[in-house]
Amino acid sequence: MSDLMERWETPGFGVSNLKKVTRSRPVPGYGEILIRVEAVSLNYRDTEVLESRMYLEPEFPFTPASDMFGTVIETGEGVTRFAVGDQAVSMCITNWIDGEALDWSVAPPLGGTIPGILAQYVVLPADWCVHAPKSLTAIEASTLPIAALTAWMAVCELAPSRSDQTVLIQGTGGVSLFAAQFGLAAGANVIVTTSSDQKAEQLRKLGVKADNIIDRSITPDWPAAVMELTDGRGADNIVEVVGGENIRKSLDAVRQGGRIALIGFMESYDMSMSILPVLGKRVTIEGISVGPRRAMEDMIRAIDRHKIKPVIDRVYDFDEVPAAFQHLNSGPFGKVVIKVAS
């Protein structure tokens, strides 16, 4: 095995500055594992970090991305959670094992405030990884750390979905599709908003009822459609991925005493709304930023049990990282993944 490897890094902000470079292969220290990376999935957050829109200050040169699947090929002294040959999936939020959420100063996100994993080999503390699901391929398992775990926290962990509840999912990105799949697996009434006939057809193939798919381009007043579908009650739980002015529509669509899981900022980082609907409906608005390792392990067991398959929009080769980022920002149906090694 060569002592050299390739990885993608940038000397400064901007996706256009990403370059593939040759570096020394890292060596694991105490409590660390060396992983041969097989697949990396991209998230919208990765573009935001690279374009300096999340107000983070990473140290340059910087390697992006946080979500990967790989095989452990060497362990450092003191490692007990993994052995050589084990398949591992990274955690985005480091050091958060369980319990209350930790500040980024003590639980820095991979590919956020600390370097990421878009490389042929990475060394990570063993505590920052989990054992991969048995039912998924490398490509599929790489999509779990941010998108799947965020969705899991929104519809299974913090507000467990039930068969007598309605979950409203906005859009068809990675988080939204996982949320729809988890909601369906729990037996909930899942409603999804989308923007095209093609995406609506793909949602039906996932198991979403045709009548529960709302095309925003045809029905801009989608909260009224949600109310009609729920006999005037509203959605119990809304996965809010747009942000900005869209939060007002979510308030119109949520039921009395319902909950809005605030996840995304596709439209804007800012919110402007009257507090009266929040007070009048007694709504809980909760910000969600991924989750702890214990929840990830719970989720992986559920994925294996229910045979849930991540939706992959497109897979790119390791040499095609700039094209993968470009496709990521085009609004894919599902996840964009980079195949690093076979």
Side-chain angles (χ1 to χ4, degrees), residues 147-164:
L149 185 53
T150 299
W152 176 266
M153 295 296 289
V155 302
C156 297
E157 172 86 11
L158 299 175
S161 299
R162 305 191 306 265
S163 59
D164 62 341

Side-chain angles (χ1 to χ4, degrees), residues 111-168:
T113 54
I114 60 175
I117 44 72
L118 194 50
Q120 292 177 319
Y121 296 90
V122 294
V123 161
L124 296 172
D127 286 344
W128 293 7
C129 299
V130 297
H131 288 273
K134 300 181 184 301
S135 60
L136 300 185
T137 66
I139 296 294
E140 292 167 340
S142 73
T143 68
L144 302 182
I146 286 184
L149 185 53
T150 299
W152 176 266
M153 295 296 289
V155 302
C156 297
E157 172 86 11
L158 299 175
S161 299
R162 305 191 306 265
S163 59
D164 62 341
Q165 292 181 330
T166 294
V167 179
L168 171 64

Side-chain angles (χ1 to χ4, degrees), residues 37 41 49 60 69-70 110-111 123 175 201 205 265 267 278 341:
V37 179
S41 71
V49 171
F60 296 106
F69 169 99
L110 281 176
V123 161
V175 174
E201 176 58 28
K205 291 179 180 179
F265 39 78
E267 180 179 291
V278 180

